[in-house]
């Protein structure tokens, strides 16, 4: 249940082979801080990176970070077993990101390794947290196998779209409009929803340096976030700490939308007490699907730290129209 309620608006990658970046990451703020053993680590640094990341996870989680994850190397690389064997020794590990998941067997392998490794560890009085898996969808093969991938293991908690590798696999050229990824992104968001996975994490924005005189976030980042949210994603990968604030804001609760949702929930509670199945708010009909959407918005706002109780007090007199 804790894993299902994990908020992952921003997933920020940290190179696992750099002690300097690992140390700096403890002062950052992100929903999911992901120590990377894959793309950002050169082959001759893989073994050392495992040790550095293990030490980083062993340290207490900073208060500004909701979740810490490790991106291991792909199952096909032959390095995944070594990665898992090392990082699973840390009692603090809760989340594993698996790259290049092409079929259900990749996740089955990781699940089997987790089960076997944890069973061999000595039992302690303090049970370790459950392990969650996030799968990176990076190829045409993975896209066609989405149904079996999402059904492969109960540990799976989300899908992540890796645009650059997907473009390489299909010989696509990434454009600012991202229309070449529309089918893939829609399929991933839909598959995650169909499998009731709590996290759908969108592609990386390659723009992170401000292009404005006031130093505000690049327009491309803001537009990509809004575009992803419209497609059904509820989070985005980040490659630089400066991207996190914008990503969290856009994938977080909108002020006006949250206010509407609180009003809707309060009025719906009163309508239910009156035996009314449908009613109106601000001249628009509210029925069961709309009311459930409002409740979901309120739950997310609460998870993001919005003063929901304060809003409920402010709108306590809202009536169904």
């Amino acid at each position: 249940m804790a894993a299902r309620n994990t908020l992952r608006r921003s997933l920020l990658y940290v190179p696992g082979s750099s002690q300097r970046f690992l140390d700096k990451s403890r002062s950052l703020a992100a929903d999911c801080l992901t120590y990377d053993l894959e793309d950002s680590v050169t082959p001759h640094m893989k073994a050392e990176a495992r040790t550095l990341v293990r030490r980083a996870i062993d340290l207490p989680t900073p208060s500004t970070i909701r979740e810490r994850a490790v991106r291991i190397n792909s199952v096909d690389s032959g390095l995944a077993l070594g990665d898992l064997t090392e990082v699973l020794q840390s009692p603090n590990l809760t989340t594993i990101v698996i790259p290049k998941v092409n079929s259900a067997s990749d996740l089955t392998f990781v699940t089997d390794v987790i089960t076997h490794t944890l069973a061999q560890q000595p039992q302690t009085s303090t049970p370790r947290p459950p392990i969650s898996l996030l799968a990176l969808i990076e190829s045409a093969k993975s896209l066609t196998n989405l149904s079996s991938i999402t059904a492969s293991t109960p540990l799976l908690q989300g899908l992540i779209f890796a645009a650059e590798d997907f473009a390489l696999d299909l010989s696509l050229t990434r454009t600012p409009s991202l229309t070449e990824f529309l089918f893939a992104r829609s399929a991933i968001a839909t598959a995650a929803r169909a499998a009731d996975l709590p996290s759908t994490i969108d592609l990386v924005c390659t723009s992170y340096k401000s292009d404005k005189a006031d130093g505000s976030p690049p327009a491309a980042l803001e537009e990509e976030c809004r575009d992803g949210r419209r497609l059904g994603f509820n989070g985005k990968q980040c490659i630089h700490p400066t991207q996190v604030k914008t990503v969290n804001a856009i994938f977080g609760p909108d002020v006006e939308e949250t206010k509407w949702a609180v009003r809707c929930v309060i009025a719906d509670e009163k309508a239910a007490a009156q035996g009314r199945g449908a009613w109106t708010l601000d001249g628009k009909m509210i029925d069961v699907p709309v009311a459930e959407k409002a409740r979901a918005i309120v739950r997310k706002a609460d998870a993001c730290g919005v003063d929901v109780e304060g809003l409920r007090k402010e709108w306590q007199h809202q009536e169904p129209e």
Side-chain angles (χ1 to χ4, degrees):
M1 182 61 70
R4 297 199 61 78
N5 292 333
T6 298
L7 191 67
R8 301 185 181 102
R9 295 166 298 177
S10 54
L11 186 149
L12 174 64
Y13 291 110
V14 177
S17 57
S18 171
Q19 186 63 59
R20 180 170 68 89
F21 284 140
L22 291 172
D23 290 340
K24 182 180 179 181
S25 70
R26 296 188 58 77
S27 65
L28 302 177
D31 284 348
C32 181
L33 189 74
T34 303
Y35 302 121
D36 186 26
L37 296 175
E38 196 213 10
D39 283 349
S40 66
V41 180
T42 57
H44 74 281
M45 292 290 290
K46 296 289 187 182
E48 182 178 349
R50 288 173 183 161
T51 303
L52 294 178
V53 167
R54 161 74 191 286
R55 290 174 183 166
I57 306 171
D58 282 344
L59 296 173
T61 304
S63 60
T64 55
I65 298 169
R66 293 175 180 268
E67 173 185 40
R68 289 183 298 176
V70 175
R71 179 165 72 171
I72 62 172
N73 288 280
S74 67
V75 173
D76 287 346
S77 72
L79 299 170
L81 179 58
D83 292 341
L84 289 167
T85 301
E86 178 68 37
V87 299
L88 283 169
Q89 294 181 52
S90 175
N92 296 331
L93 181 66
T94 62
T95 309
I96 299 171
V97 178
I98 304 103
K100 298 177 176 61
V101 175
N102 288 319
S103 65
S105 61
D106 293 331
L107 295 185
T108 301
F109 172 83
V110 173
T111 301
D112 288 346
V113 172
I114 292 171
T115 302
H116 176 75
T117 303
L118 298 187
Q120 301 301 311
Q121 294 178 353
Q123 299 297 314
T124 63
S125 57
T126 304
R128 65 174 299 149
I131 301 292
S132 297
L133 303 182
L134 301 174
L136 276 154
I137 305 301
E138 312 191 29
S139 67
K141 185 176 181 180
S142 63
L143 205 63
T144 58
N145 287 331
L146 277 173
S147 293
S148 59
I149 287 172
T150 56
S152 62
T153 170
L155 301 185
L156 185 64
Q157 292 295 312
L159 300 179
I160 308 172
F161 179 46
E164 301 307 323
D165 284 274
F166 186 81
L168 176 64
D169 187 45
L170 273 71
S171 298
L172 301 174
T173 299
R174 179 170 176 158
T175 64
S177 69
L178 303 178
T179 53
E180 61 277 1
F181 299 130
L182 180 58
F183 172 73
R185 294 164 79 200
S186 296
I188 290 168
T190 302
R193 180 63 265 164
D196 196 27
L197 302 180
S199 293
T200 49
I201 302 173
D202 203 8
L203 45 70
V204 165
C205 179
T206 55
S207 299
Y208 62 88
K209 292 184 178 179
S210 177
D211 53 4
K212 305 172 185 176
D214 60 1
S216 56
L221 176 61
E222 296 181 352
E223 181 52 36
E224 280 192 23
C225 289
R226 295 190 181 95
D227 186 44
R229 182 168 176 169
R230 285 192 292 266
L231 285 173
F233 288 88
N234 55 25
K236 190 172 183 67
Q237 299 166 87
C238 300
I239 55 172
H240 196 275
T242 58
Q243 295 178 320
V244 172
K245 184 177 180 180
T246 299
V247 170
N248 280 352
I250 295 178
F251 282 99
D254 176 84
V255 174
E256 291 303 316
E257 184 180 48
T258 302
K259 185 187 297 183
W260 167 85
V262 169
R263 293 173 59 212
C264 185
V265 169
I266 292 172
D268 187 60
E269 291 168 353
K270 295 178 180 179
Q274 297 167 12
R276 297 171 60 180
W279 45 279
T280 61
L281 181 66
D282 299 334
K284 297 180 180 179
M285 188 186 79
I286 307 295
D287 55 8
V288 173
V290 178
E292 286 302 317
K293 179 182 177 181
R295 289 188 176 85
I297 292 171
V298 171
R299 287 194 296 270
K300 184 172 184 178
D302 186 50
C304 292
V306 174
D307 184 10
V308 171
E309 283 306 310
L311 285 172
R312 286 188 69 97
K313 290 179 181 178
E314 179 182 351
W315 293 98
Q316 61 183 311
H317 301 299
Q318 178 68 57
E319 297 287 338
E321 298 169 359

